[in-house]
Every structure is written in C-alpha cells, then in structure tokens.
Amino acid sequence: MTVKNICCIGAGYVGGPTMAMIAKKCPDIQVNVVDINEQRIDAWNDPNVDQIPIYEPGLAQLVADCRGINLHFSINVNEAIEKADMIFISVNTPTKTYGIGKGMAADLKYIELCARQIASVATTDKIIVEKSTLPVRTAEALKKILHNTSNGVHFEILSNPEFLAEGTAVQDLLNPDRVLIGGDETETGKLAQQELVDIYANWVPKERILTTNVWSSELSKLTANAFLAQRVSSINSLSELCEVTEADVSEVAKAIGADSRIGSKFLNASVGFGGSCFQKDILNLVYISKSYGLNEVADYWEQVIIMNDHQKRRFAKKIVEELFNTVAGKKIALLGWAFKKDTNDTRESAAIYVADYLLNEQANVVVYDPKVTAAQIYSDLDYLGTRSSDDNKKLLQVVSDPMEAISDAHAVAILTEWDEFITIDWDQVQERMLKPAFLFDGRRILDSESMRTKGFEFYQIGRG
Ligand code: UDX
Ligand code: ADP
C-alpha cells in the first residue's frame, strides 16, 4: 500500500494544523478531516480563511493553499473512514471528571467511540495512527476493539505523538526537532511504520524521524511534557524565593540556562503553566504510576502540579493583599485570557483560576483578550462550577478594547504575554486608572523600573 487517502478524526488544535501541513507537503494525498462538531467544520469551511476556528500564525494561509484541492473538512465521518488508507485519531482526551481515576486518568471514551466506529465501517485494510496524547498502553485498547471485528479487515496501529506547541504550530510542524513513530515490531507493523515515515520524509530530514515500539512512543510524549512542565514549576518555585531575597529570577534563569547541560528554554517564570497537555499528561503519569503501586514516582510528579496551583493562587492572593486586603466592588482589569500568546486556546489557562479567585473576593473583573471570545471566557468559568452561569455573567465583564478594561480600574493584571501588552501606551493606562494605580505583571513582560517611573505600584512574578 502507498497511502493515497488520509482521514483524520477530530478537527481540533492538533488535527487541523497537522493535516493542513500534510496536505501542503503531500499534494498526491487526499486529506479528509472529519469531526462530529458541525459548527467547527462549518468554521473550517468558512470562505473567509481568517474565520477558521483555530488561531495560529500562518495557519490560515496553509488552509487557503490546500482547501478544496487535497484538504477537505466534513462531518461525514463514515465516508471518510471507508475511503482512507490511513486514519489519524486526533480526538480530545480530557482528564476524567467522574468515576475511577476522576481528576487524573484520561477519559478515553472519545477514543473508544472512534475505534468502534472504524471497526464497524471499514471494509479495507487500514493503518490507524493515534495522534491524541494518550496514556501508555492505549494502543492496546484500540487493538482489542479493532481486532475483534469479524469482517476480515486488517488494522495496524501506530503511535505518532504530536509535539507541536500552540502559537507556533505551523513552524513546529514545518521544522520539527523530531517525529516519533511507534509501531509493532512485526513485519506488517514495520511496513505500516514505513508508510508513515514516507509521508513525513516529504519535508522532514530522515535522521529526525525516529521509529520505536508503540509503548516507548506513547510514554515519550507524556515524559516530554512532564519534563517541560517540571522546568516551569522549578523556575516558578524560585520566583517566590527571589521575591523574598535580593535575587533576580531572570538573572538566575540566564545563569543556569547558559549551562549547556541545562539549556535556556522553558525558564520563564510566570503566573503558572496552562494548556491542554501539561497538567493532563502529568496527571496521567501520576495515575499510571499509582496504578502500578509506584507511590514515590507518583508523588514526585504530582508535586509539579501542586507547585503550579500554588503559583496561580499566590498571584491572585498578591493582588488582594496589595489592594489593602479587599477587592470587593473594585474594578480589576485582566489583560489576556489565553494560556499563552498567539493562540485562542484557553484550556487550563492560569487566567481562569486567577479570575475565579478574584470573583470569590467579589471583585468587579473585566477581561480583555485579543483572540478569545466572550462566550469562551464565560464557558471556562461556568465549567469550573464555582458559581452559577448567571452570577459569572453578572460579576465578570468581557470587553473588546483594552482601554475600556483599564479605565477607572483599581488594578491591572497581565495574564497572557501578548505582544500588544508590551507596546500598549502605559502612560495613558496610568492616567486612566484610579490611584494608586496597581499593575501586576504575571508574565514578566514589562520593565519594572520604567513602570515605577510612570507612577505604577508595580508587582511582577519573581520580584517583590
Ligand atoms: C506543550 C508542548 O510544548 C508540546 O510539545 C506538546 O505537544 C503540547 O504541550 P503547549 O501546551 O502548546 O505545548 O504550550 P507550551 O509552549 O509548551 O507552554 C505551556 C505552558 O507553559 C504555557 O502556559 C506557557 O505560558 C507556560 N510556560 C512555558 C511558562 O510559563 N514558562 C516557560 O518558560 C515556558
Ligand atoms: P486537541 O487539542 O487534542 O486537538 P480538540 O478538543 O481541539 O483537541 O479537538 C478534538 C476534536 O475531536 C473536537 O473538535 C471534537 O469534536 C472531535 N471529536 C471527539 N470525538 C469525536 C468522534 N467520535 N468523531 C469525530 N470527532 C470527534
């Protein structure tokens, strides 16, 4: 088989950009991206490519280049499965919110549904590629479901974890550090692996395409995210120490980052990491470790999450403390809601937790984010379940102009490092705020000396 037709189930942050890149680099392959969410598919098909549901620099152009030629978005899942030689499963795997493993294990119901659907529809042999982040040994579950179909169809299962980071997805896909392809060590397993290697080899240098067994590939994905998150939690733990000593966390980060054994990336102290992967993957690692009775291993990784929760809470607490221990009825402007810049994704964003804390203190919270919709902001808060949806709407306001957010505010807090928050006219902001004008920089994007010169009461993570 040489792959001519690919189906991707799940048109989200992973499936959408990845398939757009494959379509662009493999003009001979037809790529069908399908999803049960009709609204999302309609948005992917919007004649105005700037309206596609996911904001990523460079993505709209990629979609414009291929859509309708060899890249198609549809809700017709069965038809796409039937036609495909290779099927990527790219559905969401959120942390379970119920039953055994609640709050920790990945909820595999969407994956299982996909597998059952593939099993019932397929009439020709297929290569199934697990693309979502999955706990180790998920492929085994997939295998069991798929191999128990009676129609004689042969499935090979590969694990091809995605390492793209949101905000830089197109660049990461174009020029990956490595592509990991896990497969069975059988003859047919190796052939399937080679089919996927050949696809990536259209633009990725061969030495960067690593083949492993399925389990190593699955575990590598969890581990990469756990290590990165651990670095952020490590530097965040030091940010608190810096605040009570004379040390400067940026200087510390620079000094240790210059050690080539450590390296300079992922050492920006912040209000806490967010995103769809870090917390979920670490919780998976914790859950798996516990289920094998490895309690010390579980506790070790769990501490990374505990530190992250502490960092978010401590930032919110700092705002209340500085504002004379009460924010009730005070207008507090939050700049940024996305979990980092250049994405409209808000999953696990620190902003959600900071806002929730301030709302509990009865603050009048006003949010501005350049790419996140008001509907998304309210849905994030409603999902937390701290208060009713009506109360969230009453207590928190979303605006589309940063100046509206800051006018007459007692305090401004930066929660996402959007470039426009660096270049905004801070003199004007200061003028329009109530005095004393409190500014809290949760992302370390502003220069503290110049902010103090402008007359702000300035606090920055890592700086007392
Ligand atoms: C991550 C992994 O990087 C990626 O390989 C994987 O496929 C998915 O998970 P992503 O969640 O998109 O990607 O974002 P990432 O850039 O890793 O940042 C995660 C969080 O950590 C963000 O909230 C970011 O603001 C925060 N962060 C990152 C810091 O606070 N400091 C840093 O130095 C780096
Ligand atoms: P990720 O960041 O992993 O890409 P997203 O939540 O952005 O996660 O995307 C996952 C997509 O998968 C969602 O759009 C969801 O509607 C879709 N999905 C989930 N289950 C199925 C299914 N059984 N068939 C088709 N699409 C599905």
Side-chain angles (χ1 to χ4, degrees), residues 348-364:
E348 292 301 330
S349 178
I352 304 170
Y353 298 92
V354 172
D356 187 56
Y357 188 102
L358 296 172
L359 290 175
N360 279 342
E361 293 289 330
Q362 301 185 353
N364 162 17

Side-chain angles (χ1 to χ4, degrees), residues 403-425:
M403 284 302 167
E404 191 182 338
I406 59 89
S407 286
D408 296 323
H410 287 260
V412 170
I414 299 174
L415 297 176
T416 311
E417 72 281 24
W418 287 104
D419 291 340
E420 66 176 71
F421 299 152
I422 303 174
T423 52
I424 198 171
D425 185 346

Side-chain angles (χ1 to χ4, degrees), residues 8-17 34-38 40-41 44 54 74-75 77 81 89-94 109-115 117 131-133 164 166 276-277 280 345 347:
C8 173
I9 306 180
Y13 284 88
V14 172
V34 291
D35 203 299
I36 39 176
N37 182 338
E38 190 164 3
R40 209 169 205 183
I41 290 297
W44 279 109
I54 287 169
S74 122
I75 53 164
V77 183
I81 291 175
I89 300 186
S90 200
V91 301
N92 37 341
T93 50
K109 71 176 175 210
Y110 302 109
I111 295 277
E112 190 179 328
L113 277 172
C114 273
Q117 193 162 3
K131 193 76 190 163
S132 324
T133 310
L164 67 83
E166 290 171 34
S276 66
C277 287
K280 184 185 79 181
D345 194 354
R347 284 175 285 182

Side-chain angles (χ1 to χ4, degrees), residues 108 111 128-143 157-163 180-184 212-226 281 284-285 288 292:
L108 297 182
I111 295 277
I128 310 297
V129 186
E130 63 171 41
K131 193 76 190 163
S132 324
T133 310
L134 297 168
V136 184
R137 301 206 87 90
T138 305
E140 198 159 72
L142 275 180
K143 234 183 246 174
I157 292 157
L158 302 177
S159 156
N160 172 221
E162 189 45 70
F163 292 103
L180 201 53
I181 301 175
D184 274 350
T212 67
N213 77 36
V214 174
W215 318 125
S216 309
S217 165
E218 288 185 337
L219 187 57
S220 302
K221 166 74 186 188
L222 292 188
T223 315
N225 281 338
D281 288 358
N284 268 329
L285 208 50
I288 293 164
Y292 284 103

Side-chain angles (χ1 to χ4, degrees), residues 268-288:
N268 292 325
S270 67
V271 56
F273 62 73
S276 66
C277 287
F278 280 8
Q279 170 146 329
K280 184 185 79 181
D281 288 358
I282 294 176
L283 289 173
N284 268 329
L285 208 50
V286 171
Y287 186 71
I288 293 164

Side-chain angles (χ1 to χ4, degrees), residues 238-252 444 462-464:
L238 286 162
S239 74
E240 191 171 11
L241 187 57
C242 287
E243 287 175 25
V244 293
T245 60
E246 295 284 291
D248 175 329
V249 72
S250 293
E251 288 175 359
V252 175
R444 299 183 56 83
R463 193 180 257 265

Side-chain angles (χ1 to χ4, degrees), residues 370-395:
K371 292 287 174 195
V372 179
T373 62
Q376 185 61 51
I377 293 173
Y378 288 121
S379 121
D380 290 338
L381 277 174
D382 293 350
Y383 187 77
L384 273 190
T386 315
R387 61 193 77 68
S388 75
S389 178
D390 282 348
D391 282 348
N392 283 329
K393 287 220 171 56
K394 232 180 280 163
L395 295 166

